[in-house]
Amino acid sequence: MLNRTAPEAQGIPSAAIERFVDAMAQLDSPHSFMLLRHGNVAAEGWWKPYRPEAPHLLFSLSKSFTSCAVGLAREEGLLGLDDPVAKFFPAELTRGADPRCREMTIRHLLTMATGHDRCALEYMTSADDWAAAFFQSPLAYRPGERFVYNSGATYMLSALLRRITGRSLTAYLRPRLLEPLGFGERHWETCPKGIEVGGWGFYATTEELARFAQLLQGGNWRGRQLVPADYLKMATSFQIDNSMNDQPDWRVGYGFQFWRCRHNAFRGDGAFGQYALVMPEQDAVLAITSGLRNMQQVLDLVWKHLLPAMSPAPLPADPAAAGRLAERIARLTLPVLGTTGRALPRQSYRLNANEGGFTRLEFESGPDSCRLTLAGPNGPETILAGFGHREESVVKFDSQFPHSVAASAEFTDDRTLTILASSYNTPYQIRLVCRFDEEHVALEHRANLTFLVDQWPILTGCRS
């Protein structure tokens, strides 16, 4: 759906993009990028095993989609930004709630100014009714008084939209936004009542994310006004002060579920480096997925390598530089474990009691690949791994949805098998270290990132 051109045709030197890619490759775990200028793709790349067709978990970048749904509902006359939230939840606003909850408006939810001094999810996720728990969570300020990042507020927007439209957030957005932008069928995580969580849990491919970022410049997509322009102007503008934050691109203002950036840019973003970044003065957008511990790093690279290199006019063609960039992008990959495998018959162990509820571990190995199976509360799940190459599996473990995994393996010694698995619908790289002998086994599980994915305790067991 997007037109591809040489970078120079869009006023960007291929060499500048190559420097950006080289710098990205030095970060923890880059996954993909797509750079658009004047609506055309100037460059794109994926670090294998991440791939163009695989949707990626967006974390809090989901909030920007929820914001657009609010703008659509406003345009349809279903709500006003200054409507009190309590009006839509009379049963959930029970006795004992802070009276200031009645002052809270939809605008306060959008600007993260609900009056909380911490994310209300701390009080919500252990409850069956998240909306009721939101109103029971303590307020420290009057609504509108102070910005405090609050995913619980975005959940309330999703719950409110469900209530006034009678449809799920995904179903409401599909004909209005997702289908016109060419989104495939996409998951969105839900609360115990089946309501999309709104503030996280949505998935998109890199190109879908790039199309969404392009749309944010005025809301018009190929002659059709998908999101009201006046709403998007408000949503992506400074609405509330957030200068109490530390990082430079987290303290220059917040809109309606969008962050302001330096250089008059704005973005939707999600944990570990999921970005829909818009640079209006350059008519450029950048979609990024990644698994980063420090999200400021990637924005710093954009400001250093890409932004200053953008010319207002096309540049002369540079086939040599464009060729070097294409070759560099073709080599993008995350690490692969690589030793020769060895034949190992099926080993089966009964696991000791553990928090994850896993009961059995089995593995076997051949010269080219191995397989490891864990049996738990949801039945057995198997990861395949190649020696010196990746093998594909689909696992779920404790997630709401199955995830695709590409894994490689190595024997670090005769009694230690290590598997490196990229869950390429998510930011997570999982390292499984299985130590075994004739009678005992210990399995260590470590993720590169620990937000929403807890480190499992070491699983131990005896041969069955």
Side-chain angles (χ1 to χ4, degrees):
M1 291 184 66
L2 293 173
N3 184 47
R4 269 73 178 172
T5 70
E8 283 73 17
Q10 305 308 320
I12 311 173
S14 293
I17 300 175
E18 185 175 6
R19 287 191 294 271
F20 172 74
V21 171
D22 285 341
M24 281 281 289
Q26 301 304 309
L27 302 182
D28 300 334
S29 181
H31 299 160
S32 71
F33 78 97
M34 185 175 286
L35 175 63
L36 275 62
R37 187 121 195 255
H38 311 312
N40 300 290
V41 179
E44 59 190 320
W46 286 261
W47 276 258
K48 298 180 182 65
Y50 291 85
R51 57 201 66 177
E53 68 275 14
H56 196 288
L57 182 59
L58 299 183
F59 291 102
S60 287
L61 181 44
S62 309
K63 291 177 170 67
S64 299
F65 290 86
T66 303
S67 177
C68 288
V70 172
L72 289 164
R74 173 178 174 265
E75 180 75 2
E76 293 170 8
L78 300 176
L79 57 81
L81 298 183
D82 296 311
D83 286 348
V85 179
K87 161 185 168 184
F88 302 95
F89 297 95
E92 288 81 3
L93 186 56
T94 55
R95 185 182 306 174
D98 191 307
R100 291 174 291 185
C101 286
R102 297 191 178 276
E103 302 175 24
M104 195 185 303
T105 66
I106 292 173
R107 188 185 302 272
H108 294 143
L109 296 178
L110 286 166
T111 57
M112 302 290 191
T114 56
H116 293 86
D117 63 357
R118 67 194 66 188
C119 181
L121 284 181
E122 181 177 323
Y123 307 96
M124 295 164 61
T125 52
S126 61
D128 292 329
D129 188 331
W130 286 14
F134 176 84
F135 288 120
Q136 289 295 320
S137 59
L139 301 187
Y141 313 100
R142 291 190 66 177
E145 188 175 339
R146 183 178 174 86
F147 171 90
V148 174
Y149 194 75
N150 189 348
S151 293
T154 319
Y155 169 79
M156 293 301 293
L157 292 170
S158 176
L160 187 154
L161 288 163
R162 168 73 74 96
R163 191 151 291 188
I164 63 176
T165 67
R167 309 185 73 186
S168 71
L169 180 56
T170 310
Y172 180 71
L173 281 174
R174 177 146 294 284
R176 294 166 174 83
L177 182 74
L178 303 180
E179 283 183 359
L181 288 178
F183 276 62
E185 293 294 328
R186 295 289 170 252
H187 297 309
W188 202 321
E189 294 175 18
T190 60
C191 76
K193 288 184 174 291
I195 299 168
E196 287 99 333
V197 294
W200 69 99
F202 190 51
Y203 292 71
T205 67
T206 312
E207 181 164 340
E208 289 167 350
L209 198 53
R211 294 183 209 135
F212 177 67
Q214 185 66 30
L215 175 76
L216 297 175
Q217 298 189 94
N220 189 286
W221 182 255
R222 299 187 172 174
R224 179 179 172 186
Q225 193 69 33
L226 299 185
V227 182
D230 66 328
Y231 178 81
L232 275 181
K233 184 175 181 180
M234 289 188 291
T236 60
S237 298
F238 185 109
Q239 294 292 335
I240 192 168
D241 176 74
N242 62 355
S243 60
M244 72 291 294
N245 290 331
D246 295 329
Q247 298 281 21
D249 283 298
W250 272 259
R251 60 192 318 271
V252 289
Y254 193 76
F256 295 161
Q257 312 283 294
F258 289 91
W259 296 87
R260 295 293 302 171
C261 306
R262 293 173 291 169
H263 308 290
N264 197 34
F266 64 86
R267 70 188 188 277
D269 76 26
F272 310 129
Q274 325 315 316
Y275 285 107
L277 174 63
V278 182
M279 296 164 270
E281 293 178 3
Q282 292 74 29
D283 189 18
V285 305
L286 181 63
I288 288 177
T289 64
S290 54
L292 306 177
R293 295 178 181 88
N294 182 346
M295 290 175 60
Q296 181 64 56
Q297 287 178 311
V298 71
L299 292 175
D300 290 342
L301 297 181
V302 175
W303 311 144
K304 178 179 180 180
H305 296 291
L306 296 181
L307 189 73
M310 294 184 189
S311 168
L315 299 172
D318 190 343
R324 287 192 298 272
L325 174 62
E327 192 275 334
R328 177 70 180 93
I329 288 174
R331 292 187 285 109
L332 296 178
T333 186
L334 296 181
V336 176
L337 299 182
T339 58
T340 303
R342 63 186 180 90
L344 189 70
R346 184 170 62 91
Q347 313 289 304
S348 181
Y349 299 88
R350 183 181 66 256
L351 295 175
N352 299 322
N354 57 83
E355 294 178 9
F358 296 108
T359 58
R360 183 171 295 278
L361 183 154
E362 295 183 351
F363 61 91
E364 57 185 316
S365 172
D368 296 319
S369 64
C370 62
R371 67 176 60 225
L372 184 148
T373 300
L374 274 174
N378 300 316
E381 297 200 78
T382 298
I383 292 179
L384 304 176
F387 296 110
H389 67 279
R390 298 184 180 96
E391 294 280 354
E392 301 275 334
S393 311
V394 176
V395 298
K396 185 176 180 182
F397 291 126
D398 54 358
S399 172
Q400 282 194 359
F401 309 115
H403 289 139
S404 298
V405 170
S408 58
E410 66 181 2
F411 279 98
T412 53
D413 58 49
D414 287 347
R415 297 298 185 180
T416 305
L417 173 65
T418 298
I419 294 174
L420 180 61
S422 295
S423 176
Y424 59 82
N425 299 123
T426 79
Y428 300 119
Q429 316 294 315
I430 309 299
R431 186 176 292 268
L432 299 168
V433 181
C434 184
R435 298 180 175 88
F436 58 95
D437 59 28
E438 288 77 7
E439 298 298 329
H440 302 93
V441 71
L443 181 68
E444 179 181 344
H445 168 289
R446 289 291 178 264
N448 59 331
L449 306 162
T450 57
F451 179 69
L452 296 183
V453 170
D454 294 331
Q455 303 291 13
W456 297 352
I458 294 176
L459 303 178
T460 60
C462 299
R463 189 176 296 277
S464 58

